[in-house]
Amino acid sequence: KHMPNVKVVIGSNFGDEGKGLMTDYFCAEASKRNESCIVALCNGGAQRGHTVVTPDGIRHVFHHFGSGTFARAATYFGEEYILNPLAFRKEYEELKALGYSPRVYSHWNCRWSTPYDMITNQILEDSRGKNRYGSCGMGIWETVLRYRNTINPSFQQFYNMTKDEQVALLKRIRDEYTSKRLLKASPEVLQQWKDILESDNLIYNFIDDVQFLHSHVIFDYGRVLKQYDNVVFENGQGLLLDQRHVQYYDNTTPSNTGIANPHIIIEKYLPNADVEVCYVTRTYMTKHGAGDFECECDKSEINAHIEDKTNITNPYQGTIRYGRLDVDGLVERIKEDIGSIDYNVSLAVTHINEFENKELLNLTELNVKYLSYEETRKLFEKTS
């Protein structure tokens, strides 16, 4: 069988660059050619928020599913993706209400977040008060920490336990592990969460969510990707949030946000594929939450009228921040990420309608191949 056509969509900055838009675009192009398509998620977890607006006006922020879902693409969770049964069920039901029942595959070894990982994340973030990290409250870092330290069966191993064993394990996570994690939490914040933390109903509802996820996902390895004509890797977060960026340490994400994870899967399962790595940037910078942001400026210096419907102010990430894009820094980051890997590299520039960055649009050092002027795939220019 022929090798699939592979696209890798990577955010070049602090996230929010337009990865959902580009993934939707590539999947819709495959659909126009009557070819099958699957979106592979292989870093982070349901903390991603990738917005897709269809040409006929359906708008959805994808968290646990590939942003190609509206173009009828399947979704695959790679081994490095963190499953969240609670978030999966909620979003599956939202998509079903919109008329979509995605076909979903997962690697056998995926880690998974419990409600206690999410609650611990939110309590500790609330307890930091003004010193928040800007976490989105989905428990990604807490999940990674729990796996490193203590109680760490894969999702599949947990599913295969008896219900009594599952209940016992979740109680152990709650009573032994979580209570230790929360020793430094503020007593006021703990008091607000007390009833939820102590409720056994949370455990039984969560086990229901685990059953739901398992019954809607086909477990396999990466070889399932070979069955599709097109594979689109949709990375979460952006290059500046990669765990290697120690200067932003408290505000990074515990995963590889660049080419590293897709490259491993491509080498192993799609070694002869034609690969294009598409780095995505807005014409300006945005950042969520706390932390250094060297090029920050007042929103009015970009465009006072930007209305960001996805990044609504929330208690965990605060208000979205704006900055000017350092184009040289962008080029450097992309070159550092791709290194000596021999893939075709392209750049997608989004939000041109909001701020026409001449320096970026005239860039000759990277292949500026896709230009987007609005939030749907409808108004799109391919420059080469």
Side-chain angles (χ1 to χ4, degrees), residues 2-140:
H2 71 287
M3 270 293 159
N5 171 27
V6 175
K7 305 280 188 205
V8 184
V9 177
I10 295 175
S12 306
N13 309 317
F14 288 107
D16 291 308
E17 301 92 351
K19 296 180 291 290
L21 172 74
M22 287 313 301
T23 301
D24 172 61
Y25 171 74
F26 288 135
C27 296
E29 291 295 294
S31 175
K32 275 185 202 165
R33 300 189 296 267
N34 282 326
E35 294 172 358
S36 60
C37 190
I38 188 167
V39 177
L41 311 183
C42 57
N43 78 310
Q47 90 277 40
R48 55 178 71 209
H50 293 182
T51 306
V52 173
V53 182
T54 65
D56 52 359
I58 298 177
R59 185 171 193 284
H60 180 78
V61 181
F62 285 93
H63 299 291
H64 211 310
F65 292 83
S67 297
T69 300
F70 291 153
R72 305 287 174 191
T75 292
Y76 170 71
F77 305 128
E79 188 171 3
E80 291 298 321
Y81 188 80
I82 294 173
L83 303 176
N84 183 321
L86 216 134
F88 177 92
R89 183 176 196 161
K90 180 176 182 283
E91 189 170 7
Y92 190 94
E93 286 170 348
E94 285 168 8
L95 291 169
K96 202 166 177 194
L98 293 171
Y100 296 85
S101 296
R103 189 169 180 80
V104 189
Y105 300 88
S106 174
H107 192 284
W108 286 94
N109 299 343
C110 281
R111 296 165 293 179
W112 50 290
S113 293
T114 70
Y116 302 109
D117 299 314
M118 295 165 76
I119 290 169
T120 302
N121 178 182
Q122 293 178 29
I123 290 176
L124 292 178
E125 187 71 338
D126 281 348
S127 299
R128 288 182 193 111
K130 291 195 174 105
N131 301 316
R132 295 168 174 284
Y133 292 161
S135 156
C136 54
M138 290 302 289
I140 299 295

Side-chain angles (χ1 to χ4, degrees), residues 109-177:
N109 299 343
C110 281
R111 296 165 293 179
W112 50 290
S113 293
T114 70
Y116 302 109
D117 299 314
M118 295 165 76
I119 290 169
T120 302
N121 178 182
Q122 293 178 29
I123 290 176
L124 292 178
E125 187 71 338
D126 281 348
S127 299
R128 288 182 193 111
K130 291 195 174 105
N131 301 316
R132 295 168 174 284
Y133 292 161
S135 156
C136 54
M138 290 302 289
I140 299 295
W141 174 239
E142 287 300 327
T143 303
V144 170
L145 217 54
R146 173 172 58 77
Y147 267 81
R148 281 182 195 164
N149 290 333
T150 167
I151 305 168
N152 49 20
S154 70
F155 178 82
Q156 199 63 33
Q157 287 168 326
F158 179 75
Y159 176 78
N160 288 329
M161 293 176 179
T162 65
K163 189 162 184 179
D164 287 348
E165 289 169 337
Q166 289 176 330
V167 171
L169 183 88
L170 289 167
K171 284 186 173 172
R172 206 179 121 212
I173 290 174
R174 178 187 70 186
D175 302 337
E176 291 176 25
Y177 179 72

